[in-house]
Amino acid sequence: SQFETQRPDFICLDIMMPGMSGYDVCRKIRARDEQTPIIFISAKSEEIDKVLGLELGADDYIMKPFGMNEVIARIRAITRRCYRAERKEELSAFQMRDLEVRPRELRAVRGEEVIELSLREVKILSLLKAHAGKLLERDTFFNKCWGVDYLPNSRTLDQHISKLRKKIERDPKQPDIIETIHGAGYRYSE
């Protein structure tokens, strides 16, 4: 399934979908993964069984019609909540060069600039910081930031790192926070 191959940070499920209901999809995902946040989307005319949805492991509901800002706000709130519940010890802010990473807020700050980060991006930076000066192999990232049973596409990590560099590096072409060790992995050096 797409969930297995993509391993998203967040899932929005429409309750009424062709082939399989959102409830059934949620049930299947939760059988394999308890952490990934799930929101149900529903039209006002649809009968929602909120109790069933919450029992299946959904984190929230959004009713159609909705604005993009509402969806983004709910996603950020739920992702923060899930991250807080997951790893209490990783919540304090930390420095990487002139960048202050704030896991609790899913943000980084450089001077006046505020950079929004995804849960996985925070996990990647936390991992690099925790092992500063050490080479981290690709499998380590997948095990710690995706989950041990995730079977990655070889480009997945590179794409995430490239996107993250565009956000946090002063010059993404010559990164000084996330260093590439060719053929081996990545490193952050204090």
Side-chain angles (χ1 to χ4, degrees):
S1 71
Q2 277 191 317
F3 174 72
E4 290 299 322
T5 53
Q6 305 283 321
R7 275 303 162 101
D9 289 329
F10 197 92
I11 299 164
C12 286
L13 290 176
D14 206 323
I15 289 175
M16 304 298 280
M17 296 190 295
M20 188 184 284
S21 80
Y23 293 130
D24 291 333
V25 175
C26 182
R27 191 181 279 112
K28 287 193 165 207
I29 289 170
R30 281 290 178 256
R32 296 166 184 226
D33 175 300
E34 294 177 8
Q35 247 64 51
T36 307
I38 296 175
I39 280 188
F40 276 125
I41 297 169
S42 168
K44 279 200 164 69
S45 60
E46 289 167 9
E47 195 62 40
I48 299 186
D49 189 339
K50 288 195 177 181
V51 175
L52 173 62
L54 294 171
E55 278 177 2
L56 291 173
D59 296 280
D60 203 354
Y61 284 84
I62 300 178
M63 303 290 286
K64 297 174 193 171
F66 50 77
M68 236 21 245
N69 287 343
E70 182 192 356
V71 178
I72 290 166
R74 296 242 195 154
I75 287 173
R76 293 195 71 77
I78 289 166
T79 309
R80 281 193 196 104
R81 196 166 73 226
C82 291
Y83 190 52
R84 272 204 291 275
E86 196 179 287
R87 301 301 286 272
K88 288 277 190 289
E89 73 275 15
E90 287 179 6
L91 288 176
S92 43
F94 57 88
Q95 287 291 136
M96 296 180 92
R97 305 267 185 270
D98 60 346
L99 190 76
E100 182 188 4
V101 181
R102 299 175 180 173
R104 193 183 296 271
E105 298 173 29
L106 294 181
R107 289 189 179 107
V109 178
R110 176 181 281 123
E112 299 294 307
E113 183 189 10
V114 176
I115 302 158
E116 301 288 345
L117 298 171
S118 73
L119 175 56
R120 187 158 289 135
E121 287 168 341
V122 168
K123 284 182 173 182
I124 289 169
L125 292 175
S126 298
L127 186 63
L128 285 162
K129 174 68 178 182
H131 300 277
K134 295 194 177 109
L135 161 69
L136 290 176
E137 294 179 346
R138 308 168 75 78
D139 283 351
T140 306
F141 285 97
F142 288 123
N143 290 342
K144 301 281 187 188
C145 305
W146 272 263
V148 197
D149 56 347
Y150 177 63
L151 297 172
N153 169 325
S154 59
R155 297 284 303 139
T156 304
L157 179 60
D158 300 329
Q159 287 162 351
H160 269 80
I161 298 284
S162 172
K163 191 171 146 215
L164 182 52
R165 279 176 172 156
K166 284 182 185 137
K167 289 184 178 185
I168 66 164
E169 299 281 5
R170 287 188 176 277
D171 178 2
K173 289 191 170 56
Q174 295 189 318
D176 70 342
I177 295 176
I178 305 176
E179 179 188 356
T180 300
I181 310 301
H182 288 289
Y186 295 94
R187 178 174 62 202
Y188 165 68
S189 301
E190 300 279 29

